[in-house]
Amino acid sequence: MISFANDYLEGAHPQILQALVDTNFVQEPGYGYDSFSQKAEAAIQRTLGTTDAQITFLQGGTQTNQIVIDSLLKDYEGVIAPDIGHISVHEAGAIEACGHKIITLPSHDAKLDPVDIKQFIEDFKNDMNMEHMVFPGMVYITYPTEYGTLYSKQELTDLYEVCQQYQLPLFIDGARLGYGLMSPEADLTIQDLVNLCDVFYIGGTKVGALCGEAVVFTHNNMPAHFKTIVKRHGALLAKGRLTGIQFLELFKDDLYFKISKHADQLALKLRDTLKEKGYRFYYDSPTNQQFVILDNRQLDELAKQVDFARWEKYDDQHSVARFVINWATTSENVDYLIDLL
Amino acid sequence: MISFANDYLEGAHPQILQALVDTNFVQEPGYGYDSFSQKAEAAIQRTLGTTDAQITFLQGGTQTNQIVIDSLLKDYEGVIAPDIGHISVHEAGAIEACGHKIITLPSHDAKLDPVDIKQFIEDFKNDMNMEHMVFPGMVYITYPTEYGTLYSKQELTDLYEVCQQYQLPLFIDGARLGYGLMSPEADLTIQDLVNLCDVFYIGGTKVGALCGEAVVFTHNNMPAHFKTIVKRHGALLAKGRLTGIQFLELFKDDLYFKISKHADQLALKLRDTLKEKGYRFYYDSPTNQQFVILDNRQLDELAKQVDFARWEKYDDQHSVARFVINWATTSENVDYLIDLL
Amino acid sequence: MISFANDYLEGAHPQILQALVDTNFVQEPGYGYDSFSQKAEAAIQRTLGTTDAQITFLQGGTQTNQIVIDSLLKDYEGVIAPDIGHISVHEAGAIEACGHKIITLPSHDAKLDPVDIKQFIEDFKNDMNMEHMVFPGMVYITYPTEYGTLYSKQELTDLYEVCQQYQLPLFIDGARLGYGLMSPEADLTIQDLVNLCDVFYIGGTKVGALCGEAVVFTHNNMPAHFKTIVKRHGALLAKGRLTGIQFLELFKDDLYFKISKHADQLALKLRDTLKEKGYRFYYDSPTNQQFVILDNRQLDELAKQVDFARWEKYDDQHSVARFVINWATTSENVDYLIDLL
Amino acid sequence: MISFANDYLEGAHPQILQALVDTNFVQEPGYGYDSFSQKAEAAIQRTLGTTDAQITFLQGGTQTNQIVIDSLLKDYEGVIAPDIGHISVHEAGAIEACGHKIITLPSHDAKLDPVDIKQFIEDFKNDMNMEHMVFPGMVYITYPTEYGTLYSKQELTDLYEVCQQYQLPLFIDGARLGYGLMSPEADLTIQDLVNLCDVFYIGGTKVGALCGEAVVFTHNNMPAHFKTIVKRHGALLAKGRLTGIQFLELFKDDLYFKISKHADQLALKLRDTLKEKGYRFYYDSPTNQQFVILDNRQLDELAKQVDFARWEKYDDQHSVARFVINWATTSENVDYLIDLL
């Protein structure tokens, strides 16, 4: 059965597999010192337009969030995140496992509002019990959000301004970064991110790689001994070439962006067609995830013909279905889905 | 320059890459529920001769040690390990990061002696300060050891008997398991391990895989909610197919054992030739790592022609060189090395 | 200036100090094996009517919450607590420091509603992402609550029923237990608690002791090696006699309950008089904490004459003042406060 | 039966109890902001001769070691300690519980040798696997040592020089500090410590207090937000007056030093008499703990008449008995013990 269940249904972009085959017997040092990882770092720096960006390759999203957050916080600090944030809900307590509280603030259109952050910090600073509380130590957001929505350049600028005002590093979880940046409704570029946050990651697992996320500390601000920190978390791959080769390919000739754009185009075709047909959407997502409100009976029927996620209950008669389009999704499959709806 | 520096110099066995290519566009569920991982588990169970063995695929050795140990210990317990054990020395505190002390005992020929364990436990139980001490909660060894030596079947039987007597789960780190089992001097089979420990892992990273270790709980004793434990450690791969496909290939037609045997044969050819030439060895290893004592000047000369690890100082005039042969090492390269020595 | 700022303004009940003096040169074993601690345990068991209750004496509230919760949860579990719960807000991340998430549910009259717990658990069990989430492992409440309100016997019975249905141990933080139980509006006895939760603590610090909280595991369910767990948390007092002697005195001739009753009577006198005068209350507390809504100017004036806590903003013109009456508060001081209002 | 089993057999110095009684109904702020704690800090600063020393009062030794060490180390760092150090052996894994490895070095006369530290650090820095190892982040010693021996001023100066050379903060566990400083064989003063380490603690529990240790950061180097760090560890006493009052008394008219000197004098009387009688000592301790090698039969006989600790086996026929003299030990009791030997 054709599936739109998530972003990690297939393997990797064929160009990546070919590169793995082509380089297979080249002997390389381990632990990220291989030439591929170094070339991949250089390629990403070129894309970003700065050699001040420091890149580390990790294997998965939860691992990346855990390591970056743990490396930036002091023991007594917590991370501010939207209540629906991935780290708050779907990472099995990986952040708390490192001793840190997630301080949740309400989300608006799945996004954090800088006004809420400012208010929270001011309240904290004026709280007579401040010394008995977890100190806010950084801010975590996702781009695009868990519901596919996007911060505008202005919104992110405002958010980062508040973060800087209170000396809170801003970390952007970019598990689906490509699908965000390539949306026709995005007004941000990957180069902008260098100036609008302290660290972000370029998601590979959901955008064409077998595995791998590229952490980018934007201005020579990578914590000292970061490799040892990664090792202590059990995340230092012996064959660093595995992630290095993949990101080297993804950043050749804009492959990462091209395959993201492909997915967005199909996703928006789906969205626009369903809108015309009168379907309602749970969130208005301009990216590769579409959250459609379906009558429960229609949903059950559909589930017999195609695979997708029953995301959550909407009301007694309706549920939210999530359809995910990714780099590997074909135009034919999207048409098939459209015909079913 | 040809390198014998470690076991992770090359990519993966070509059969694995071919399988990645062949299956690339098959849509599969994530997080280890893919059909490849399930077939790989079944293949390993067939090899082990029991469906009571429960298999989980992880990505690397430190990660595996951290998760298995943390999942078995209560908070107030520590893990007994040889003083030269990988977890004691070269994992950047990954075990302590989970709150657990490593209780080191002296190693003999790089191995733990059950008599030492017994003595330690008896002393602990009789210590009037017992309640103020870390409780021993499990035993960790490596097979083969960090210096390439092997426990005999009798030695492992004796060790496990002591472990069982004191209800200490025994965990065998098998990062180089194949190279141990396929040594002509090994009298243990992988089937024996099922009865001689509570959990072990089949190392993939050093034996033909791009990444991946297969954790085997031997008798339906996998801790409850192990997948959540793995997730909390940031180690649950979205595309579980990556490790599943690799182990499925490794356990087709004994590939894992064949490529291990190949390496051992070359390693023993190196060892035997050097012995004949009068070289001394730091440890008498019958497996793929050879620790040779070299005069410092000879070592410096050699380092200009071939890559290897300067393992440690032996005395003022000599050092220990480590040469590692792996699944990908060619007979020609070993001959080249022999000619240099 | 006379203070009603909190429950820990004075030293200890004079009877406790006298007992410290009287026993001072008796030589006793350390770490809780002293005869006083053992007699105190027996005295509490007599009060509770069961020798199945296992008592451990600790020093403070946050420490007690941290140790009890950490001892009951598996690594991948979190604790359900009301959003305004002390562990959620005012313990500086002490629970997360042990690797555990606090799963907050909304509070109603500062209390947890069993219906919310049931709903949460059912949603969790039906969540397709369950394996990626923190498992609920226990429930934490306070009695009386942070705002002085009380669970009725029926409410607590219902709550515990849900906890038992889902095998979630129920822990009651009794930092102000005496003030709760002795309220004329309480319909619970300390004996009832034995059957209505798995573990609770009898707060000493806020009820007549210099320091000390008595943890009660109600039915021989104290975790194995609890003393070692306490030690590992840095909380095992060498001179356990310090807490032992205090609780021995507090449980002689119902001293604990008498001094609590004294405070409640004065608090309710304050409450009733202020109600008659037309004051509004933020919560309707029948215990030793009174939360009064005051006009900001009146509050500023009052603050010049008496000490109390400005608890929180109510609206632009009003704030919540907290007045705390404790075992040492005199009738004269309460009258003085009443006259000022 | 008269006991010499440890240093915490009795309550507190009577002057302390009197002060608790005298101040009992003075209302004071909590959490260390009480006037007694502030006066006690000032008194200790006067004794130390500097207001750059920052004092925090905690409750017990393991707690203090845990908090100080955790506050100074980065996550990936460990603490260097002698193999027989209290934190290495008798604190139930309290340091590892915070995620930190204890890096043990051999002890000589129960002390760390700076040469060993230097060698360890140099080896670490030259280790090709450095990035895979726990980084040494500080040094922990005890004064006097667990076996009652003393660092000379020269020894401590040399040790601190090495620590400073490698930017490793030096922490001195002074659980029995008074008994060390007041030994006639000590050539160190408490004022010297200010210049010879970064942080130390003045043990109260074993030197006249009911509970309490005074942490001294020697040169305005207390970690930021240390009170919150203490709270997060569950160690912030609501009634900080309890420890404040005790240290205020201990540092009035040199009480702390006078009662320490009393104990040392009796201990040396015991030592010298036993030496004359031909007894052998396990360590040559000039402080309040005496480790005497006894024939097992004599030891068993003695144990019927007086209480002491059977410290460890010496050989098949002999054991080490530990006799502890403290501030409360009477001359008569020591004479009684001498007569028995």
Side-chain angles (χ1 to χ4, degrees), chain B residues 185-217:
Chain B
E185 298 181 22
D187 65 349
L188 267 172
T189 66
I190 198 167
Q191 294 79 16
D192 290 333
L193 291 184
V194 173
N195 301 312
L196 292 176
C197 71
D198 297 286
V199 52
F200 66 99
Y201 81 83
I202 304 169
T205 300
K206 292 179 176 170
V207 192
L210 282 167
C211 69
E213 325 295 322
V215 180
V216 181
F217 283 93

mmCIF file of all heavy atoms in Angstrom, chain B residues 185-217:
data_model
loop_
_atom_site.group_PDB
_atom_site.id
_atom_site.type_symbol
_atom_site.label_atom_id
_atom_site.label_comp_id
_atom_site.label_asym_id
_atom_site.label_seq_id
_atom_site.Cartn_x
_atom_site.Cartn_y
_atom_site.Cartn_z
ATOM 1 N N GLU B 185 42.088 -20.453 17.327
ATOM 2 C CA GLU B 185 42.334 -20.778 18.729
ATOM 3 C C GLU B 185 41.090 -20.611 19.607
ATOM 4 O O GLU B 185 41.145 -20.843 20.822
ATOM 5 C CB GLU B 185 43.491 -19.917 19.255
ATOM 6 C CG GLU B 185 44.785 -20.212 18.497
ATOM 7 C CD GLU B 185 45.979 -19.403 18.978
ATOM 8 O OE1 GLU B 185 45.963 -18.922 20.118
ATOM 9 O OE2 GLU B 185 46.942 -19.264 18.178
ATOM 10 N N ALA B 186 39.964 -20.234 19.008
ATOM 11 C CA ALA B 186 38.721 -20.107 19.778
ATOM 12 C C ALA B 186 38.070 -21.474 19.930
ATOM 13 O O ALA B 186 38.046 -22.253 18.983
ATOM 14 C CB ALA B 186 37.766 -19.151 19.068
ATOM 15 N N ASP B 187 37.566 -21.761 21.115
ATOM 16 C CA ASP B 187 36.810 -23.016 21.274
ATOM 17 C C ASP B 187 35.348 -22.723 21.625
ATOM 18 O O ASP B 187 34.636 -23.575 22.133
ATOM 19 C CB ASP B 187 37.458 -23.926 22.327
ATOM 20 C CG ASP B 187 37.423 -23.351 23.728
ATOM 21 O OD1 ASP B 187 37.085 -22.158 23.881
ATOM 22 O OD2 ASP B 187 37.739 -24.086 24.672
ATOM 23 N N LEU B 188 34.939 -21.502 21.321
ATOM 24 C CA LEU B 188 33.568 -21.064 21.582
ATOM 25 C C LEU B 188 32.846 -20.842 20.266
ATOM 26 O O LEU B 188 33.443 -20.365 19.304
ATOM 27 C CB LEU B 188 33.599 -19.705 22.266
ATOM 28 C CG LEU B 188 33.591 -19.591 23.766
ATOM 29 C CD1 LEU B 188 33.824 -18.145 24.145
ATOM 30 C CD2 LEU B 188 32.280 -20.091 24.336
ATOM 31 N N THR B 189 31.553 -21.130 20.236
ATOM 32 C CA THR B 189 30.745 -20.766 19.072
ATOM 33 C C THR B 189 29.757 -19.685 19.481
ATOM 34 O O THR B 189 29.526 -19.460 20.672
ATOM 35 C CB THR B 189 29.948 -21.975 18.546
ATOM 36 O OG1 THR B 189 28.997 -22.331 19.571
ATOM 37 C CG2 THR B 189 30.865 -23.153 18.256
ATOM 38 N N ILE B 190 29.166 -19.045 18.490
ATOM 39 C CA ILE B 190 28.174 -18.011 18.814
ATOM 40 C C ILE B 190 26.967 -18.629 19.507
ATOM 41 O O ILE B 190 26.323 -17.993 20.341
ATOM 42 C CB ILE B 190 27.784 -17.208 17.547
ATOM 43 C CG1 ILE B 190 27.119 -15.886 17.953
ATOM 44 C CG2 ILE B 190 26.914 -18.019 16.604
ATOM 45 C CD1 ILE B 190 26.975 -14.891 16.829
ATOM 46 N N GLN B 191 26.708 -19.914 19.207
ATOM 47 C CA GLN B 191 25.594 -20.593 19.886
ATOM 48 C C GLN B 191 25.903 -20.774 21.374
ATOM 49 O O GLN B 191 24.999 -20.707 22.212
ATOM 50 C CB GLN B 191 25.311 -21.967 19.251
ATOM 51 C CG GLN B 191 24.795 -21.915 17.817
ATOM 52 C CD GLN B 191 25.905 -21.687 16.793
ATOM 53 O OE1 GLN B 191 27.090 -21.864 17.106
ATOM 54 N NE2 GLN B 191 25.542 -21.289 15.588
ATOM 55 N N ASP B 192 27.174 -21.016 21.681
ATOM 56 C CA ASP B 192 27.540 -21.154 23.090
ATOM 57 C C ASP B 192 27.215 -19.903 23.893
ATOM 58 O O ASP B 192 26.846 -19.974 25.067
ATOM 59 C CB ASP B 192 29.057 -21.414 23.223
ATOM 60 C CG ASP B 192 29.458 -22.797 22.731
ATOM 61 O OD1 ASP B 192 28.610 -23.715 22.777
ATOM 62 O OD2 ASP B 192 30.618 -22.957 22.299
ATOM 63 N N LEU B 193 27.380 -18.750 23.262
ATOM 64 C CA LEU B 193 27.180 -17.485 23.987
ATOM 65 C C LEU B 193 25.776 -17.381 24.579
ATOM 66 O O LEU B 193 25.577 -16.765 25.626
ATOM 67 C CB LEU B 193 27.441 -16.288 23.065
ATOM 68 C CG LEU B 193 28.888 -16.076 22.641
ATOM 69 C CD1 LEU B 193 28.997 -14.809 21.806
ATOM 70 C CD2 LEU B 193 29.819 -16.005 23.845
ATOM 71 N N VAL B 194 24.822 -17.968 23.881
ATOM 72 C CA VAL B 194 23.440 -17.919 24.359
ATOM 73 C C VAL B 194 23.338 -18.498 25.772
ATOM 74 O O VAL B 194 22.549 -18.026 26.593
ATOM 75 C CB VAL B 194 22.519 -18.686 23.381
ATOM 76 C CG1 VAL B 194 21.111 -18.801 23.949
ATOM 77 C CG2 VAL B 194 22.505 -17.991 22.029
ATOM 78 N N ASN B 195 24.159 -19.474 26.054
ATOM 79 C CA ASN B 195 24.096 -20.123 27.368
ATOM 80 C C ASN B 195 25.145 -19.602 28.350
ATOM 81 O O ASN B 195 25.173 -20.035 29.496
ATOM 82 C CB ASN B 195 24.286 -21.636 27.210
ATOM 83 C CG ASN B 195 23.209 -22.215 26.317
ATOM 84 O OD1 ASN B 195 22.035 -21.926 26.509
ATOM 85 N ND2 ASN B 195 23.620 -22.989 25.323
ATOM 86 N N LEU B 196 25.998 -18.713 27.875
ATOM 87 C CA LEU B 196 27.113 -18.301 28.726
ATOM 88 C C LEU B 196 27.090 -16.812 29.082
ATOM 89 O O LEU B 196 28.075 -16.290 29.602
ATOM 90 C CB LEU B 196 28.433 -18.676 28.051
ATOM 91 C CG LEU B 196 28.683 -20.194 27.972
ATOM 92 C CD1 LEU B 196 29.963 -20.488 27.204
ATOM 93 C CD2 LEU B 196 28.742 -20.820 29.371
ATOM 94 N N CYS B 197 25.995 -16.146 28.777
ATOM 95 C CA CYS B 197 25.859 -14.759 29.225
ATOM 96 C C CYS B 197 24.400 -14.357 29.128
ATOM 97 O O CYS B 197 23.574 -15.099 28.590
ATOM 98 C CB CYS B 197 26.727 -13.820 28.382
ATOM 99 S SG CYS B 197 26.141 -13.591 26.693
ATOM 100 N N ASP B 198 24.087 -13.178 29.638
ATOM 101 C CA ASP B 198 22.708 -12.695 29.615
ATOM 102 C C ASP B 198 22.447 -11.783 28.433
ATOM 103 O O ASP B 198 21.324 -11.680 27.954
ATOM 104 C CB ASP B 198 22.422 -11.971 30.938
ATOM 105 C CG ASP B 198 22.536 -12.928 32.097
ATOM 106 O OD1 ASP B 198 21.624 -13.746 32.261
ATOM 107 O OD2 ASP B 198 23.568 -12.902 32.800
ATOM 108 N N VAL B 199 23.505 -11.127 27.992
ATOM 109 C CA VAL B 199 23.340 -10.235 26.850
ATOM 110 C C VAL B 199 24.720 -10.046 26.212
ATOM 111 O O VAL B 199 25.735 -9.987 26.908
ATOM 112 C CB VAL B 199 22.693 -8.890 27.286
ATOM 113 C CG1 VAL B 199 23.430 -8.252 28.446
ATOM 114 C CG2 VAL B 199 22.592 -7.896 26.130
ATOM 115 N N PHE B 200 24.749 -10.013 24.892
ATOM 116 C CA PHE B 200 26.008 -9.704 24.213
ATOM 117 C C PHE B 200 25.658 -8.902 22.979
ATOM 118 O O PHE B 200 24.494 -8.762 22.622
ATOM 119 C CB PHE B 200 26.781 -10.979 23.848
ATOM 120 C CG PHE B 200 26.146 -11.872 22.820
ATOM 121 C CD1 PHE B 200 26.544 -11.835 21.482
ATOM 122 C CD2 PHE B 200 25.151 -12.780 23.183
ATOM 123 C CE1 PHE B 200 25.967 -12.669 20.528
ATOM 124 C CE2 PHE B 200 24.570 -13.630 22.235
ATOM 125 C CZ PHE B 200 24.976 -13.565 20.923
ATOM 126 N N TYR B 201 26.672 -8.316 22.363
ATOM 127 C CA TYR B 201 26.353 -7.696 21.077
ATOM 128 C C TYR B 201 27.294 -8.173 19.986
ATOM 129 O O TYR B 201 28.442 -8.512 20.247
ATOM 130 C CB TYR B 201 26.218 -6.190 21.160
ATOM 131 C CG TYR B 201 27.441 -5.318 21.159
ATOM 132 C CD1 TYR B 201 28.061 -4.948 19.962
ATOM 133 C CD2 TYR B 201 27.946 -4.770 22.338
ATOM 134 C CE1 TYR B 201 29.151 -4.090 19.946
ATOM 135 C CE2 TYR B 201 29.043 -3.913 22.325
ATOM 136 C CZ TYR B 201 29.647 -3.580 21.123
ATOM 137 O OH TYR B 201 30.726 -2.734 21.112
ATOM 138 N N ILE B 202 26.699 -8.259 18.799
ATOM 139 C CA ILE B 202 27.412 -8.694 17.605
ATOM 140 C C ILE B 202 27.857 -7.431 16.890
ATOM 141 O O ILE B 202 27.040 -6.699 16.336
ATOM 142 C CB ILE B 202 26.484 -9.526 16.689
ATOM 143 C CG1 ILE B 202 25.882 -10.718 17.454
ATOM 144 C CG2 ILE B 202 27.233 -9.978 15.436
ATOM 145 C CD1 ILE B 202 24.747 -11.426 16.707
ATOM 146 N N GLY B 203 29.161 -7.176 16.931
ATOM 147 C CA GLY B 203 29.669 -5.943 16.361
ATOM 148 C C GLY B 203 29.589 -5.930 14.850
ATOM 149 O O GLY B 203 30.091 -6.839 14.187
ATOM 150 N N GLY B 204 28.973 -4.896 14.318
ATOM 151 C CA GLY B 204 28.899 -4.739 12.873
ATOM 152 C C GLY B 204 29.897 -3.708 12.353
ATOM 153 O O GLY B 204 30.550 -3.929 11.328
ATOM 154 N N THR B 205 30.043 -2.606 13.071
ATOM 155 C CA THR B 205 30.885 -1.512 12.591
ATOM 156 C C THR B 205 32.285 -1.988 12.223
ATOM 157 O O THR B 205 32.850 -1.552 11.219
ATOM 158 C CB THR B 205 30.988 -0.408 13.679
ATOM 159 O OG1 THR B 205 29.681 0.076 13.968
ATOM 160 C CG2 THR B 205 31.873 0.736 13.228
ATOM 161 N N LYS B 206 32.853 -2.879 13.039
ATOM 162 C CA LYS B 206 34.216 -3.346 12.790
ATOM 163 C C LYS B 206 34.259 -4.609 11.942
ATOM 164 O O LYS B 206 35.344 -5.113 11.647
ATOM 165 C CB LYS B 206 34.925 -3.574 14.133
ATOM 166 C CG LYS B 206 35.161 -2.251 14.880
ATOM 167 C CD LYS B 206 35.835 -2.417 16.216
ATOM 168 C CE LYS B 206 36.111 -1.036 16.812
ATOM 169 N NZ LYS B 206 36.557 -1.101 18.213
ATOM 170 N N VAL B 207 33.102 -5.131 11.606
ATOM 171 C CA VAL B 207 33.058 -6.389 10.858
ATOM 172 C C VAL B 207 32.116 -6.251 9.661
ATOM 173 O O VAL B 207 31.089 -6.930 9.564
ATOM 174 C CB VAL B 207 32.629 -7.563 11.780
ATOM 175 C CG1 VAL B 207 32.860 -8.902 11.075
ATOM 176 C CG2 VAL B 207 33.380 -7.548 13.114
ATOM 177 N N GLY B 208 32.430 -5.356 8.773
ATOM 178 C CA GLY B 208 31.767 -5.344 7.483
ATOM 179 C C GLY B 208 30.596 -4.406 7.303
ATOM 180 O O GLY B 208 30.107 -4.250 6.184
ATOM 181 N N ALA B 209 30.126 -3.767 8.377
ATOM 182 C CA ALA B 209 28.985 -2.859 8.225
ATOM 183 C C ALA B 209 29.447 -1.408 8.179
ATOM 184 O O ALA B 209 30.541 -1.072 8.622
ATOM 185 C CB ALA B 209 28.000 -3.054 9.374
ATOM 186 N N LEU B 210 28.590 -0.540 7.643
ATOM 187 C CA LEU B 210 28.840 0.904 7.693
ATOM 188 C C LEU B 210 28.729 1.395 9.125
ATOM 189 O O LEU B 210 29.428 2.296 9.562
ATOM 190 C CB LEU B 210 27.789 1.633 6.855
ATOM 191 C CG LEU B 210 27.975 1.616 5.342
ATOM 192 C CD1 LEU B 210 26.701 2.096 4.671
ATOM 193 C CD2 LEU B 210 29.160 2.490 4.947
ATOM 194 N N CYS B 211 27.797 0.805 9.829
ATOM 195 C CA CYS B 211 27.529 1.123 11.224
ATOM 196 C C CYS B 211 26.598 0.031 11.731
ATOM 197 O O CYS B 211 26.002 -0.681 10.931
ATOM 198 C CB CYS B 211 26.848 2.488 11.380
ATOM 199 S SG CYS B 211 25.154 2.540 10.748
ATOM 200 N N GLY B 212 26.503 -0.097 13.039
ATOM 201 C CA GLY B 212 25.515 -1.026 13.569
ATOM 202 C C GLY B 212 26.067 -2.124 14.438
ATOM 203 O O GLY B 212 27.097 -2.723 14.122
ATOM 204 N N GLU B 213 25.378 -2.348 15.547
ATOM 205 C CA GLU B 213 25.689 -3.420 16.474
ATOM 206 C C GLU B 213 24.354 -4.090 16.801
ATOM 207 O O GLU B 213 23.352 -3.410 16.977
ATOM 208 C CB GLU B 213 26.314 -2.880 17.781
ATOM 209 C CG GLU B 213 27.222 -1.651 17.626
ATOM 210 C CD GLU B 213 28.499 -1.875 16.831
ATOM 211 O OE1 GLU B 213 29.092 -2.953 16.977
ATOM 212 O OE2 GLU B 213 28.892 -0.994 16.034
ATOM 213 N N ALA B 214 24.386 -5.422 16.883
ATOM 214 C CA ALA B 214 23.161 -6.162 17.175
ATOM 215 C C ALA B 214 23.206 -6.654 18.617
ATOM 216 O O ALA B 214 23.970 -7.553 18.952
ATOM 217 C CB ALA B 214 23.015 -7.343 16.219
ATOM 218 N N VAL B 215 22.377 -6.030 19.455
ATOM 219 C CA VAL B 215 22.303 -6.443 20.863
ATOM 220 C C VAL B 215 21.447 -7.699 20.963
ATOM 221 O O VAL B 215 20.333 -7.732 20.427
ATOM 222 C CB VAL B 215 21.650 -5.352 21.724
ATOM 223 C CG1 VAL B 215 21.568 -5.784 23.184
ATOM 224 C CG2 VAL B 215 22.412 -4.049 21.585
ATOM 225 N N VAL B 216 21.953 -8.703 21.665
ATOM 226 C CA VAL B 216 21.207 -9.950 21.823
ATOM 227 C C VAL B 216 20.946 -10.208 23.308
ATOM 228 O O VAL B 216 21.878 -10.494 24.074
ATOM 229 C CB VAL B 216 21.999 -11.145 21.246
ATOM 230 C CG1 VAL B 216 21.187 -12.438 21.388
ATOM 231 C CG2 VAL B 216 22.392 -10.893 19.800
ATOM 232 N N PHE B 217 19.711 -10.072 23.735
ATOM 233 C CA PHE B 217 19.334 -10.561 25.072
ATOM 234 C C PHE B 217 19.022 -12.036 24.880
ATOM 235 O O PHE B 217 18.192 -12.395 24.045
ATOM 236 C CB PHE B 217 18.149 -9.775 25.639
ATOM 237 C CG PHE B 217 18.552 -8.419 26.159
ATOM 238 C CD1 PHE B 217 18.474 -7.296 25.351
ATOM 239 C CD2 PHE B 217 19.040 -8.275 27.458
ATOM 240 C CE1 PHE B 217 18.863 -6.052 25.828
ATOM 241 C CE2 PHE B 217 19.449 -7.033 27.943
ATOM 242 C CZ PHE B 217 19.366 -5.915 27.119
#
